Each structure stands twice: as C-alpha cells, then as structure tokens.
Amino acid sequence: MAESRNRRWQRATVAEAVDVADRIMRIVLAPEHPRKVRAGEHIDLELELNGRTEMRSYSLVEANDDGSRLAITVFHTPHSRGGSEYMHTLGVGDVLRITEPLQDFPLRVGAPQYVLLAGGIGITAILGMARVLKAVRADYRVIYVGRSRSAMAYLDQVREEHGDRARIHVDDEGTSLDAASVVAELAPGTELYMCGPIRLMDAVRRAWIERDLEISDLRFETFGSSGWFDPEEFEVEIPRLGVNTTVGRDESLLEALERAGVEMMFDCRKGECGLCQVTVQEIRGEVDHRDVFFSEAQKSVRPAAKLCSCVSRVATEQTDDAAAASGTISSSSPVETTHPVPRLRIDVS
Amino acid sequence: MSITTEQNATQAPAPGVTADVSESIAEHTTPEQITTAKIFPYPLNAWWVAAWDHEVTSKALLSRTVADKSLALYRTEAGAPVALADACWHRLAPLSQGKLVGNDQVQCPYHGLRFNPAGRCTFMPAQDTVNPSARVPSYPVVERDRYVWVWLGDPELADPETIPDMHQMSSEEWAGDGETIAAECNYQLILDNLMDLTHEEFVHSSSIGQDELSESDFEVTHDGNTVTVSRWMYNLDPPPFWLKNMRDKFPGFSGKVDRWQIIHYSYPGTICIDVGVAKAGTGAPEGDRSQGVNGYVMNTITPETKRTSHYFWAFMRNYRLESQLITTQLRNGVHGVFGEDETMLKAQQTAIEANPDHEFYSLNIDAGGMWVRRILEKALRAEGREQA
C-alpha cells in the first residue's frame, strides 16, 4: 500500500524566496489545501519550460505544524534541464501547481541505530528525518558531505541542532567522505538513509552489498535526476518503427520518444519500476544508467543491453575511468565537444 | 518540523479592505458539540488492542480490522508481534492470505512479493533489484497483559508508557480468563454501557442485577485520561452470581453483604471494573476486603469499523487462584451476562440506524460515559478527526 500515491494537485503561492547558499534558494510555498507533513515527503511541481509543462520533484525541507507553509530548497544545477533555472526566477506572490505531499522515502521509527547521509542538496530530504530522530531520542548520526562550505545549505542548522551527532565532510577542504568506511563502521541492524549524487549513493550501495548487510536497511531516494555523466544531447533510432529523433539535454529519452509519436509504456518515471525499459541494438557512447531498477551486474554489461528510458541517457564515451573510481561527489569534468554525438539504436515493447 | 509563519503578504487583506464576511462568521462559530454523537469517531493516536496474545503466532497470519484499517498480524520466530497493513504494495492483494517465509517475512499470495517486519519489500519477482519505494505500513505494536496493542496514528507519538494498566491480566496474584465479543455496534456504545452499571438491574436481573443498583448513589471523578465511577451498596442480599462466589471462598456462606463497583476508564478504550462483595459491616468500604471476594472485570474495546467493535474482556479474581474450575465457571458466567449486553447493544445500534433524525438525550447516570466521551472528543479534535 503505497501511501499518498494519489496525486492531488493544488495551487500554491510563493510566500518566501531567499538564497541560502551558493546557487541554492529556499522557497516557502503556501498550499491551497494544507495538511500535516511527514519527514521524507516531497512534492511534485509543474513548471512551464519552453512552452511545455514539465514536472519536477522537490523534498520538503521543513513545514509548519499544519502544513500551510512548505519549504523546498532548489539547487541551480550548472547543467540544468531548465527546471532549477526557472525555480530560481520565482518571487513572492507567484503561483504554482503542486501536488499534496507525497511519501516515497518514509522514516521508520524504532531501529536501534540510524545513519543519515546527505550529499549536497540531498540535505533537503535528510533534515526533517534528523529532527524526528532527535525528537524521539533515537541513536542517530548525520553525515553531511559537500563540495565547499559555501555550497552547503543549512550547514549551521545541522551543526546547531545535532551537535556531536553531526559530521561534516567538505571536498575542497580535503575532508572528502570515504563511503566505504562509513559502511564499515556500522553495527548490523543500523538503518542508513541517504540522499545525494548517484556516485555517492552507488559507492555506499556497493560497500553495503560487499558487507552483506540487510539490503532493506539501506534507504535512499532518487528522483532519477543524478547521473555519472552530465546530460548531453544524443540521437535515438527505432528501425522497426522508422523513428529517428534527437534527445535534448533538457528532456528524457522517454519524453523524446513520446514526442516522436511512439506509444510508450511507463509508470513511475523515476527509474524504479522498469516498465519503460528499451532494448539496445547498437550504441555509440556509453549508457548513463540513472535508474535503481537494474542491478549493478545488469548495468555493467558491455555493450549495454537494456536501459530505463525515463531517466537513463547516453553520454560520450569516456577514455579514462578515473571519475568512475571515485566515491566522492565532485562533479565530472566538462563534456568534450570534439566527439561525435552519442547515438542509440533501440527497440521498444 | 518547524517553520515561522509571521506574515504572509498574499493573505493579509489590503488596508481598508474588509475580510470576507463568511470567513469571519466561520471563525466565530462554536465548534460542533460531538459529545453525544451516536456514531462516535475513533482516535488513531491511541493504543488499541488488536488481538489476544494467543491469537498471534509465527505459524499463520491473522487478518483483523482495527479502526477501519485491515491488518495482517503475526509473530517473528523470536516471538515479537508484527502488524502490517493487509494490502500488498503492488496490487493490494491481502497479505494475510499469504504465508510466512524465512526470516520473519510475509509473502504476498498473489505475486510473491516479500515484506519484512518493518514492512519493507525484500523480494520482487522477475527482477534483480527491489524498488526502494516498495513498502507496506508496519504499525508500532506492543504485547502487554495478554493483549497485542497497536498504534495506527503518528508513529512518532507511540509511547508504550501510555498503554492502559491491565496488570491483573498477567499478575500472579490474579487468576482468570476471557473471550472476545464481535459486537455489532459503535465502540462508544459499549463504553457507555460499562461506565454506568445501573443497567444491570434491568438487563442482568437474573445474575448480578438488583433493585439497590438504581437506588444507590455514585461518585464520578476524572482527570486528563481517566474517569472513575464508584458505587457502594450496603447491607443487602447478594445476587446469585455473588452468592456463588462468596460460597467458593467461604463455604456455606449466607447473609447480608456490602457490595462495590468501582469503574476505571483509561483512554482510549479500556475499562477495568473493581467489583466484589464482603460480609456486611466487616470494613470493606474502609479498605479491609478480607471477608469478601474481589474480582476485576477487564474490558478493552477496539473499534473495528464505525458500526462494529472488538470487545475483549476477562474476569480476574484474587481468591482460590488454584481452581481452574472456578476460572471456567466465572468465564462462562460472565459470557452469559455479556451475551445480554451484546443483544441490547446490537438492538440499540439498529434503532440508531432506523432513527437518523433523532438525537441522544442524557441522564444523570450518564456522567461517567459523558466524561469518557469528552476525553475522546478532545483526542479527536487534536487529530482533526472529530467528524464521524
């Protein structure tokens, strides 16, 4: 029984919009139909981009008791698909369409120990959980990782509220997090909740599986928005249907195929259910798997066999795999423009 | 979670503009009185009994509805009770019709998804991974005093310290047993029934009823989460049920007794009634009950739906603890008495349904039940669930 699966849309008015860190803006929304918010919840939000209506998901960082004030926090990504750029133009009084709070990342009360791991803007999903765990006097730790202090939203708040329970790692201060060591220190039965870049989460997940810890104790949320590579434009062809189109940086493969008139099957649109998978026939470039449906083993097949079209992309093949070896969250090097455009030939169900 | 709500430019009326008239009327309307509601809503931030201890096992799943939520109940191999929502995450098939598999997990009867005691999915068919969102609610659950208690509301507020005291159920100083009645009425009607025992004279005339009940005075006290109704009756002939109990302890007893009924309610649905009789004038009202027999009627009522309830009861005694015969006789005796209540409560619910336009009126004797209703009403308002 997935709770809050019914997406009830409503209007929400921007009540506050302030910068809280480098390229990070806190936006407080006043929804039309408030309800109490629980840790781990997010909202989906509609925005108009280039004449299209698109949807984005944002964790609820904070809310007041009756949920009539909802705070989200938006990182203006350097390689934005347009969403975060748009969000950063919002001002007090602007009206948006949002869902009621949705829960896909619930915090379970009652575990013997907790680790909350936030990478960068992932702090937005973690902050509320830390408050709950403090309030119920749970045994918990907060680990907050970022590139530089100035780019870490709510840093003071984390330190003030959680004191010795909080650990801060900053890449440009030389205190990057070693994800494997975090997992190595855990007592079995500890629940780890994480939200952050996919490199960080993949490193934790690998260490978790190597230690043979209970996989259901590792909790994470991804909106399919983070990849190993920056989004690039790529070409896609479906010979059987005579379809040829280009997937723009600011859209998904699924969206591009729908735009080209292909009737696609899908459900979650965030890389979880696997319904939108396509079969790869030929590829120039490398699949940037951004889903959590395929296993590590399935994702490491070369050449790639399948991918989730809702979130995964194709990127220019990298010649060195230094980036892949890193468990830190530093962003990958800029895309080289001399390579031919990545290309994908697929079939669909 | 906190956030400041100091001001909101978009909602504050502009200077000189009067706020909408209908809004200000709504603000000043007295909240609706629900104390005498016929179909009383139930709070969720509350410990309700879901089952007897012996009903929940590691061998099979138990399906039970509490407060309109279907639950699948079981025990881990280590003995800990588990309460999961009884609907698979995938296509809502009832998990209670599935089976228990390795590592304390429930396997869905339809497509074989597996869930652990925390409600998290651990297996999905035909794929190598498990969707991280896949879960069913797992409710806080505590086993105490022979019952399995569940908390269906905000799990952050689930404090086992607030479970009602029913210690006689698991004490070496008390013996007894009980049953469950599938009551076809709103749970509050049962709480009303137990908070005023004047009805014994009319409903239970052949066993525990006697004229003195409606003639005697009673005292009602209350605090935040409890209500107590005390009634003492002096120098009277014991009714058949109590004469038999006196003779179990004092063979051949005959004569007058002093009789007491002290009703203790605890939020949300527990009523433990200290009952007994002692040889008249031997000091029972002053605290010396050695010349009498003392029982505790342990009742805890759980709403199943708005119109049906699980009525768990037991009769405990603190004399002749060694006698299994007396345990069985008392259980059977109370079974007969409560059967009379069951019939009346069902008839009352039927009449309520047949008379939607008629409201309840109250009598002096309803004071105890009305304080219970007031406590529940406050809890409901705090949850914003006062509408039935």
Side-chain angles (χ1 to χ4, degrees):
Chain A
M1 195 162 73
E3 289 171 307
S4 311
R5 187 92 203 287
N6 300 326
R7 299 201 164 159
R8 280 200 289 265
W9 289 87
Q10 60 181 332
R11 285 153 48 91
T13 309
V14 176
E16 197 184 313
V18 289
D19 291 327
V20 288
D22 279 0
R23 306 179 69 87
I24 297 179
M25 181 183 259
R26 171 184 164 96
I27 299 168
V28 177
L29 298 169
E32 218 177 349
H33 303 294
R35 76 152 173 78
K36 189 177 157 64
V37 168
R38 315 204 59 85
E41 286 185 328
H42 69 275
I43 50 169
D44 288 347
L45 180 152
E46 269 182 10
L47 32 89
E48 299 296 326
L49 287 179
N50 313 318
R52 286 200 307 268
T53 300
E54 296 207 7
M55 209 179 73
R56 293 289 187 273
S57 301
Y58 293 101
S59 298
L60 292 170
V61 190
E62 294 174 306
N64 59 351
D65 282 348
D66 64 0
S68 61
R69 288 290 181 283
L70 307 174
I72 60 172
T73 306
V74 182
F75 175 48
H76 185 172
T77 40
H79 304 282
S80 168
R81 289 162 58 196
S84 64
E85 200 173 318
Y86 170 87
M87 294 298 288
H88 275 243
T89 66
L90 289 174
V92 171
D94 286 347
V95 175
L96 295 167
R97 257 168 64 78
I98 68 171
T99 60
E100 69 174 341
L102 304 170
Q103 180 63 283
D104 282 329
F105 193 30
L107 173 70
R108 182 177 78 102
V109 176
Q113 285 181 315
Y114 295 87
V115 171
L116 306 177
L117 172 59
I121 195 65
I123 191 65
T124 54
I126 293 300
L127 210 57
M129 293 190 177
R131 292 227 175 101
V132 170
L133 292 179
K134 184 181 182 182
V136 302
R137 293 191 291 276
D139 185 357
Y140 72 98
R141 275 188 301 143
V142 182
I143 303 175
Y144 185 13
V145 231
R147 290 191 318 278
S148 65
R149 278 177 197 265
S150 61
M152 294 171 74
Y154 304 109
L155 188 58
D156 293 342
Q157 208 168 321
V158 168
R159 282 186 313 213
E160 277 162 28
E161 287 181 22
H162 304 291
D164 291 347
R165 293 191 178 274
R167 235 169 74 188
I168 312 296
H169 292 269
V170 187
D171 288 352
D172 72 6
E173 293 176 6
T175 56
S176 295
L177 177 75
D178 174 10
S181 73
V182 169
V183 175
E185 290 165 10
L186 299 181
T190 302
E191 293 192 356
L192 191 153
Y193 292 72
M194 61 178 177
C195 188
I198 200 158
R199 286 157 193 268
L200 174 68
M201 302 215 286
D202 277 354
V204 170
R205 187 160 38 218
R206 223 173 293 126
W208 197 272
I209 290 166
E210 269 165 33
R211 254 201 84 185
D212 203 21
L213 293 168
E214 195 67 58
I215 196 70
S216 60
D217 287 342
L218 178 61
R219 315 305 305 167
F220 52 92
E221 178 158 64
T222 159
F223 298 129
S225 53
S226 164
W228 281 84
F229 308 102
D230 295 326
E232 289 175 62
E233 187 175 283
F234 63 99
E235 292 166 358
V236 60
E237 180 191 0
I238 309 177
R240 186 172 60 84
L241 303 178
V243 168
N244 260 293
T245 191
T246 300
V247 183
R249 261 184 39 187
D250 61 349
E251 64 180 345
S252 68
L253 172 56
L254 176 60
E255 285 162 352
L257 294 174
E258 287 174 326
R259 185 171 42 73
V262 183
E263 190 184 358
M264 293 292 293
M265 181 50 68
F266 61 86
D267 185 14
C268 75
R269 292 186 94 106
K270 54 182 180 175
E272 292 183 352
C273 75
L275 277 179
C276 68
Q277 60 182 286
V278 298
T279 307
V280 179
Q281 295 175 334
E282 203 182 310
I283 182 168
R284 181 172 73 212
E286 201 169 331
V287 174
D288 185 7
H289 288 289
R290 294 172 169 223
D291 64 283
V292 293
F293 171 76
F294 290 116
S295 66
E296 295 288 322
Q298 289 168 315
K299 288 175 183 172
S300 61
V301 169
R302 295 289 183 279
K306 286 169 184 289
L307 62 98
C308 287
S309 64
C310 64
V311 292
S312 298
R313 312 185 62 84
V314 183
T316 302
E317 193 134 25
Q318 305 280 298
T319 43
D320 65 289
D321 56 348
S326 162
T328 69
I329 63 151
S330 49
S331 64
S332 59
S333 51
V335 179
E336 305 221 3
T337 49
T338 52
H339 289 285
V341 176
R343 186 174 171 79
L344 190 61
R345 184 180 297 155
I346 58 171
D347 201 5
V348 298
S349 65
Chain B
M1 291 196 262
S2 65
I3 196 170
T4 48
T5 52
E6 286 167 63
Q7 63 183 109
N8 172 13
T10 62
Q11 281 185 2
V17 176
T18 315
D20 188 322
V21 174
S22 62
E23 235 183 284
S24 47
I25 289 172
E27 269 169 34
H28 295 110
T29 303
T30 314
E32 196 194 343
Q33 166 91 348
I34 64 161
T35 321
T36 52
K38 295 180 291 183
I39 303 294
F40 216 83
Y42 41 71
L44 294 176
N45 286 331
W47 291 104
W48 297 111
V49 168
W52 284 90
D53 51 5
H54 62 84
E55 294 182 284
V56 180
T57 73
S58 56
K59 302 289 172 245
L61 287 145
L62 173 69
S63 163
R64 182 140 299 163
T65 298
V66 173
D68 282 310
K69 280 191 171 37
S70 300
L71 305 177
L73 298 162
Y74 68 102
R75 265 181 213 279
T76 65
E77 288 299 330
V82 179
L84 300 182
D86 193 13
C88 181
W89 172 84
H90 172 219
R91 289 294 199 249
L92 305 178
L95 294 176
S96 61
Q97 291 178 25
K99 61 181 180 184
L100 293 168
V101 292
N103 285 335
D104 305 323
Q105 298 181 22
V106 177
Q107 179 173 298
C108 175
Y110 201 171
H111 302 102
L113 280 80
R114 291 182 182 181
F115 298 90
N116 69 14
R120 287 183 185 139
C121 186
T122 59
F123 172 81
M124 290 184 162
Q127 63 185 69
D128 292 353
T129 55
V130 172
N131 186 327
S133 300
R135 65 181 278 270
V136 294
S138 173
Y139 299 102
V141 53
V142 172
E143 181 172 6
R144 185 174 297 175
D145 297 332
R146 295 216 53 206
Y147 291 124
V148 174
W149 304 76
V150 291
W151 179 280
L152 303 175
D154 184 347
E156 292 152 32
L157 303 176
D159 180 2
E161 293 295 304
T162 61
I163 292 176
D165 174 16
M166 300 189 81
H167 73 273
Q168 292 87 348
M169 300 286 291
S170 55
S171 162
E172 287 180 4
E173 289 160 28
W174 296 82
D177 201 4
E179 294 176 347
T180 312
I181 296 169
E184 295 177 59
C185 63
N186 178 262
Y187 77 108
Q188 179 58 46
L189 297 185
I190 307 173
L191 298 178
D192 284 343
N193 169 283
L194 291 165
M195 291 306 290
D196 165 48
L197 300 180
T198 315
H199 78 271
E200 288 182 358
E201 180 179 335
F202 308 99
V203 178
H204 310 304
S205 53
S206 66
S207 52
I208 52 177
Q210 54 189 165
D211 295 350
E212 291 88 342
L213 281 161
S214 63
E215 291 161 8
S216 61
D217 221 356
F218 58 91
E219 185 186 293
V220 180
T221 60
H222 64 93
D223 64 24
N225 277 323
T226 68
V227 180
T228 302
V229 179
S230 310
R231 178 182 253 144
W232 279 89
M233 293 153 281
Y234 305 104
N235 202 34
L236 38 75
D237 291 319
F241 177 82
W242 286 112
L243 181 60
K244 186 260 181 219
N245 296 339
M246 280 297 280
R247 286 176 175 168
D248 282 339
K249 184 172 177 183
F250 306 102
F253 169 80
S254 66
K256 299 281 189 187
V257 295
D258 295 332
R259 181 179 177 185
W260 67 90
Q261 297 171 324
I262 302 165
I263 308 166
H264 299 282
Y265 163 81
S266 299
Y267 173 82
T270 295
I271 296 177
C272 300
I273 312 177
D274 174 7
V275 291
V277 297
K279 294 172 188 170
T282 56
E286 292 74 37
D288 178 7
R289 295 178 176 181
S290 63
Q291 297 306 301
V293 286
N294 187 188
Y296 255 85
V297 197
M298 314 297 290
N299 310 279
T300 186
I301 320 303
T302 298
E304 179 185 41
T305 67
K306 289 185 178 68
R307 289 171 172 78
T308 57
S309 306
H310 305 292
Y311 179 173
F312 301 95
W313 63 265
F315 190 94
M316 308 302 293
R317 69 181 188 281
N318 66 356
Y319 59 92
R320 297 287 310 275
L321 301 181
E322 85 297 345
S323 174
Q324 185 59 45
L325 171 66
I326 293 175
T327 295
T328 304
Q329 286 173 332
L330 284 171
R331 191 186 62 203
N332 291 350
V334 176
H335 172 98
V337 172
F338 282 6
E340 295 169 332
D341 291 301
E342 189 182 348
T343 304
M344 176 54 68
L345 289 164
K346 181 182 177 181
Q348 183 186 10
Q349 185 72 48
T350 303
I352 287 169
E353 304 299 336
N355 294 280
D357 300 332
H358 292 227
E359 299 307 318
F360 277 1
Y361 290 92
S362 300
L363 300 175
N364 165 52
I365 56 171
D366 296 316
M370 287 296 279
W371 278 111
V372 169
R373 286 168 172 265
R374 181 70 62 76
I375 288 170
L376 287 163
E377 180 179 356
K378 280 182 183 159
L380 286 162
R381 284 195 196 284
E383 291 181 23
R385 304 186 63 258
E386 63 269 29
Q387 298 305 321

